[in-house]
Amino acid sequence: MLSLPPSVRIYAATEATSMHLSFDRLAALASEVMGADPFSGHLFVFRNRGNDKVKILFWDRTGFCLWYKRLEKGTFHFPRVEGSHVEMEAAELSLLLEGIDLGGARRRPRFVPRALVAATG
């Protein structure tokens, strides 16, 4: 399980990305396609066309870090959504990286503070 503070957001690109891209080009995609600041400390997840490779880009206050995973068998099951990216929680990313298909998963109701409900609603 990933241990990330709640302030860290996770953005996953919905379209396939070339795994030949490095730090600077992935940072540009985070900015241009996802509309987010690559220097924010948030995680930016990119997958290849075959869904068997994932790169995660993040800024750790001293430089960009790139985490890369290639499956030897099987594929990752990214959510199918409209738009250029989807935001997910750390638990969802953890499950995705373990090969669990989130398509059939269902989240149970949970507590939401009133202040948060008033701010978003």
Side-chain angles (χ1 to χ4, degrees):
M1 180 69 70
L2 294 174
S3 178
L4 298 171
S7 60
V8 173
R9 298 172 82 172
I10 302 167
Y11 300 98
T14 56
E15 297 295 322
T17 305
S18 170
M19 290 294 109
H20 294 102
L21 299 181
S22 185
F23 297 95
D24 295 329
R25 189 63 190 125
L26 290 174
L29 284 176
S31 178
E32 296 165 5
V33 175
M34 298 182 195
D37 179 10
F39 299 101
S40 63
H42 300 315
L43 275 58
F44 300 94
V45 183
F46 303 93
R47 64 173 178 85
N48 70 332
R49 189 173 311 279
N51 287 327
D52 64 343
K53 296 179 182 98
V54 168
K55 280 188 176 180
I56 301 175
L57 178 76
F58 62 96
W59 177 261
D60 77 350
R61 297 188 319 174
T62 61
F64 281 114
C65 299
L66 195 58
W67 188 86
Y68 186 37
K69 182 171 183 175
R70 179 188 74 188
L71 294 176
E72 296 302 320
K73 183 177 181 181
T75 59
F76 295 108
H77 296 277
F78 276 77
R80 305 238 187 266
V81 296
E82 295 292 323
S84 62
H85 68 280
V86 62
E87 190 171 343
M88 58 178 51
E89 295 182 10
E92 293 170 322
L93 179 60
S94 235
L95 293 171
L96 183 139
L97 294 174
E98 286 298 319
I100 297 172
D101 185 356
L102 300 176
R106 186 174 51 145
R107 182 177 294 279
R108 301 281 183 189
R110 59 187 177 164
F111 175 76
V112 178
R114 287 185 187 190
L116 185 60
V117 172
T120 60

